[in-house]
Amino acid sequence: EAGVTQFPSHSVIEKGQTVTLRCDPISGHDNLYWYRRVMGKEIKFLLHFVKESKQDESGMPNNRFLAERTGGTYSTLKVQPAELEDSGVYFCASSQYRETVFGQGTRLTVV
Amino acid sequence: SQQGEEDPQALSIQEGENATMNCSYKTSINNLQWYRQNSGRGLVHLILIRSNEREKHSGRLRVTLDTSKKSSSLLITASRAADTASYFCATDEDDYKLSFGAGTTVTVRA
């Protein structure tokens, strides 16, 4: 069974540019989450989809971040415009019951 | 809000030794999970312990859970260089949403 897949694995962009991260959850998983770890700190929740609906987006830092999950399948997280403090590792995860499976993460560096 | 907090923040041990790290949390939970992140890689799920369980084993890993003290411990026995990583506990704050601590960085010296 394929796991949670994230693209790209690394991204280096300049401040002010736009970046879109993609996540393909495990097939059949209704729940999809975005988390991020900034500057070696704790991993923080960003938002939660149940199928195509945003269940909880309380962790989204500001309106420069936009997440979508078209058709309840893959999800994208767009950062526009990117700021230096957005650098970090962005994790996507999916779950159907108790165990949450994480992807490899996208390491975003804003310079 | 940060739910799980790991202790110690960093741990350096010799290969073959055991490594123990602790996690404390604040509110009641359904489950507690431990994850590992190797440098530059993603989060790997290690073990899940339910709130009605007290101890669980998986290979060289042993997890305990004390809901009365709101704490959990992860023991790695006979450590190997490949165990060098950051370890996180995660609690289910609201249904499926996980709350992580800052993690314990474990370095296993050859």
Side-chain angles (χ1 to χ4, degrees):
Chain A
E1 177 186 79
V4 177
T5 309
Q6 293 186 243
F7 302 98
S9 57
H10 293 86
S11 180
V12 181
I13 61 170
E14 292 185 352
K15 177 184 172 181
Q17 289 186 322
T18 298
V19 63
T20 300
L21 314 180
R22 171 170 170 145
C23 168
D24 286 77
I26 291 175
S27 178
H29 280 194
D30 290 338
N31 297 288
L32 186 148
Y33 315 83
W34 284 97
Y35 291 82
R36 73 172 179 177
R37 188 183 187 201
V38 174
M39 293 292 290
K41 295 184 179 176
E42 69 268 21
I43 300 166
K44 286 195 170 179
F45 167 84
L46 295 178
L47 89 159
H48 171 207
F49 283 99
V50 176
K51 295 184 180 177
E52 67 276 8
S53 300
K54 289 178 186 173
Q55 189 75 10
D56 180 353
E57 52 184 331
S58 61
M60 295 287 265
N62 51 61
N63 59 11
R64 295 186 293 103
F65 289 76
L66 175 65
E68 294 179 322
R69 190 181 183 192
T70 307
T73 55
Y74 70 91
S75 174
T76 57
L77 178 64
K78 183 163 73 174
V79 185
Q80 179 183 31
E83 298 290 343
L84 299 178
E85 63 265 25
D86 300 332
S87 295
V89 181
Y90 289 77
F91 294 103
C92 174
S94 71
S95 72
Q96 188 64 359
Y97 298 106
R98 289 192 178 88
E99 182 181 323
T100 303
V101 180
F102 283 78
Q104 291 289 91
T106 293
R107 182 173 294 277
L108 174 65
T109 303
V110 183
V111 298
Chain B
S1 61
Q2 184 173 321
Q3 169 83 312
E5 294 197 25
E6 292 87 350
D7 167 58
Q9 290 185 331
L11 185 60
S12 180
I13 56 173
Q14 199 73 28
E15 200 166 26
E17 292 180 337
N18 296 343
T20 301
M21 61 209 86
N22 303 296
C23 165
S24 60
Y25 57 92
K26 298 186 175 86
T27 63
S28 60
I29 60 171
N30 295 315
N31 308 289
L32 185 144
Q33 303 181 61
W34 284 91
Y35 288 84
R36 180 187 71 218
Q37 184 191 14
N38 294 88
S39 177
R41 297 188 179 182
L43 281 171
V44 174
H45 183 265
L46 296 176
I47 198 164
L48 178 151
I49 186 165
R50 295 183 175 84
S51 59
N52 62 354
E53 297 177 310
R54 292 296 166 258
E55 189 171 311
K56 204 161 182 179
H57 296 254
S58 177
R60 294 183 297 111
L61 305 179
R62 173 178 166 254
V63 168
T64 64
L65 179 64
D66 187 336
T67 53
S68 66
K69 294 180 180 177
K70 291 188 170 55
S71 68
S72 174
S73 68
L74 171 66
L75 167 68
I76 305 171
T77 60
S79 62
R80 305 167 182 169
D83 295 329
T84 293
S86 291
Y87 292 81
F88 298 89
C89 71
T91 54
D92 51 354
E93 191 174 303
D94 291 300
D95 289 333
Y96 299 105
K97 184 167 98 177
L98 296 179
S99 181
F100 290 85
T104 293
T105 300
V106 175
T107 303
V108 181
R109 305 185 307 272

